[in-house]
Amino acid sequence: MPTLYDQAQSAVDYLRSQTSISPRVGIILGSGLGSFASQVADPVIVPYAAIPHFPQSTVVGHSGQLVLGSIGGVPVAVMQGRVHAYEGYPIAEVTFPARVLGLLGCTTLIVTNAAGGIRPDIPQGSLVVISDHINLTGTNAALGPNEPRFAVVPGAGQRFFDMSTAYSPALRNIAMQEATRQGFALTEGVYLAVLGPSFETPAEIRAFRTLGADLVGMSTVHEVIVARHMGISVLGISLVTNMAAGVTNETIHHEDVIEIGRRVERQFTSLLTSILPQIPAV
Ligand code: HPA
């Protein structure tokens, strides 16, 4: 039986057979944010279906391809769409692409997602820099035998690893400064992850607010856990596509997620493209 590491390595070997680009930054585009991939210069587009062991998304709004190329001179690998645990994928498959991005050479990962807004002062359509997370999915992506070969920087790949600066303070700073420079409001917030696929009840959202959460969503935390295991620096950005249950009187629809994504596309694109060249090389 090939190990998870062997499988990730064969996905990397396949990608290296398709392009000589060595991406430095991996970007995972969440629901409604997939159009950012059109920013990639000289793109080499690889459908997930062609990559050995890569899982495929079943959700509307996730197109399922890896776009390799560069943005502002920075070599990138952009995932247009991801899979989620609520689709029935084991957590090792959900995080497989993040493992592959690391082994491919990415030392920074930008994770983006659609989220429900818990704080009334962060309205629908806001972009939020994730400052920290609360994992209430009931599982952990680093479960199972430890594999030190996943380390991308010296000292990483340990059985137990620090999560106290999981979301890089330096990258968060760059994002906040860039938003100020561009003249739009950007807030920081704590992202709480649930398994889904049901949206939350108003009582759950009240409980999550008490716990210190500002945003709620169904992705991201496991990718961040494996990234930190590998020693990859992380920047997380959420798009508030709706107010969470009970915050307003409105009911929540997945279509809102797609529609709001379209509305903030320009702001999201200009923020990300300006951040990329400022990411320090590791
Ligand atoms: N809850 C959970 N996940 C989400 C939401 C929400 O309200 N909106 C977008 N993703």
Side-chain angles (χ1 to χ4, degrees), residues 10-260:
S10 67
V12 168
D13 292 344
Y14 172 77
L15 290 168
R16 293 218 167 106
S17 76
Q18 300 300 298
T19 172
S20 58
I21 296 159
S22 281
R24 190 157 74 70
V25 179
I27 303 172
I28 303 179
L29 298 174
S31 301
L33 298 170
S35 66
F36 178 76
S38 64
Q39 298 301 311
V40 177
D42 304 319
V44 173
I45 298 175
V46 187
Y48 294 166
I51 310 172
H53 313 293
F54 231 69
Q56 278 159 72
S57 178
T58 59
V59 189
V60 177
H62 284 257
S63 62
Q65 54 189 22
L66 185 63
V67 183
L68 298 131
S70 67
I71 300 177
V74 180
V76 293
V78 181
M79 284 180 57
Q80 233 176 350
R82 59 151 69 85
V83 305
H84 307 79
Y86 65 71
E87 294 173 75
Y89 288 100
I91 213 69
E93 287 190 40
V94 170
T95 53
F96 185 79
R99 295 286 196 195
V100 171
L101 292 178
L103 292 187
L104 202 54
C106 296
T107 48
T108 298
L109 181 67
I110 301 179
V111 281
T112 69
N113 59 52
I118 296 179
R119 254 171 51 193
D121 63 320
I122 306 180
Q124 185 183 40
S126 304
L127 293 173
V128 180
V129 172
I130 302 176
S131 56
D132 204 345
H133 78 219
I134 299 172
N135 174 14
L136 287 191
T137 65
T139 185
N140 190 294
L143 277 182
N146 187 47
E147 175 52 85
R149 287 178 294 174
F150 276 125
V152 303
V153 296
Q158 307 281 331
R159 169 75 301 180
F160 302 105
F161 50 97
D162 186 60
M163 290 290 286
S164 59
T165 50
Y167 297 85
S168 159
L171 296 178
R172 283 160 52 195
N173 241 333
I174 293 172
M176 299 302 286
Q177 281 177 9
E178 205 42 59
T180 305
R181 203 182 60 79
Q182 295 182 22
F184 69 88
L186 190 62
T187 327
E188 289 204 314
V190 173
Y191 177 92
L192 183 145
V194 293
L195 194 54
S198 58
F199 289 120
E200 302 69 36
T201 64
E204 286 168 337
I205 294 301
R206 285 195 299 276
F208 296 167
R209 181 182 294 128
T210 307
L211 290 176
D214 303 311
L215 306 157
V216 60
M218 304 173 190
S219 67
T220 303
V221 295
H222 295 296
E223 292 148 352
V224 173
I225 289 169
V226 303
R228 294 310 297 147
H229 174 253
M230 299 173 84
I232 297 169
S233 300
V234 174
L235 175 66
I237 299 176
S238 287
L239 166 62
V240 177
T241 50
N242 57 277
M243 296 318 286
V247 176
T248 62
N249 290 328
E250 289 176 28
T251 52
I252 303 167
H253 307 282
H254 181 63
E255 293 70 29
D256 296 344
V257 174
I258 312 293
E259 169 55 27
I260 297 291

